[in-house]
Every structure is written in structure tokens, then in C-alpha cells.
Amino acid sequence: MHYLLLLQKWNRVFNLTAITRPKDAVYLHIIDSLTVLSFLKGARCLDVGSGAGLPGIPLAIVNPHFYWLLIDKNSKKNAIFNPSYC
């Protein structure tokens, strides 16, 4: 839920997602992201084109023992998830 609150906060500034209702975000962002969970193999995961951190951040939250790398060409979107901004 903390991630969704941050996403909602920064979405107002950077237009990260068209989904703005919290209930919709749970289903369309979190649950959708977690559907690939059973397909993950190995301990290193790469999310290319991560944008608002989807699906990488929800997957990293439930798999903190994996090494995660999220990449997006938009540096503004990358910067908002830097812990120093939170």
C-alpha cells in the first residue's frame, strides 16, 4: 500500500499512470504485476521499460531476496523511486 501511495503522489507530478482510483490500482497494477510471479526463475530479475515501476516494484516487494534492476529511458520516472526522494 505504501508503494501505491507513493505512486499516487508522484503521478500528479509526472503523469506515471492513467489509473488514479486506489481500488483500480490494486487490481490493475499490483495484482497484474504479481501474475508473473510463478514464471520467475533464478535470483536476478530485470524489468526493462519499468516506467512507474511496474511490474518490478511489486515483484521486488514480495521477493526481496532477488536482485532487481529496473530500467526506463525516462530519468524523471527513475528518480522518483530513489529512496532519497521518499
Side-chain angles (χ1 to χ4, degrees):
M1 292 311 297
H2 184 70
Y3 166 68
L4 286 179
L5 291 173
L6 284 173
L7 182 60
Q8 188 176 36
K9 171 186 174 180
W10 289 105
N11 190 48
R12 293 183 204 110
V13 178
F14 292 109
N15 192 30
L16 301 169
T17 177
I19 309 301
T20 56
R21 292 180 40 206
K23 183 178 179 180
D24 293 340
V26 169
Y27 290 103
L28 298 173
H29 289 324
I30 305 303
I31 293 175
D32 278 358
S33 293
L34 298 179
T35 59
V36 301
L37 194 56
S38 64
F39 298 101
L40 297 179
K41 304 292 183 222
R44 294 174 171 252
C45 296
L46 173 64
D47 179 3
V48 178
S50 186
L54 299 163
I57 292 177
L59 289 167
I61 290 169
V62 299
N63 291 295
H65 56 282
F66 284 20
Y67 173 82
W68 293 92
L69 180 61
L70 283 65
I71 299 173
D72 194 273
K73 69 177 185 171
N74 187 329
S75 60
K76 287 182 184 177
K77 290 180 182 180
N78 295 332
I80 65 164
F81 294 108
N82 181 325
S84 64
Y85 283 83
C86 301

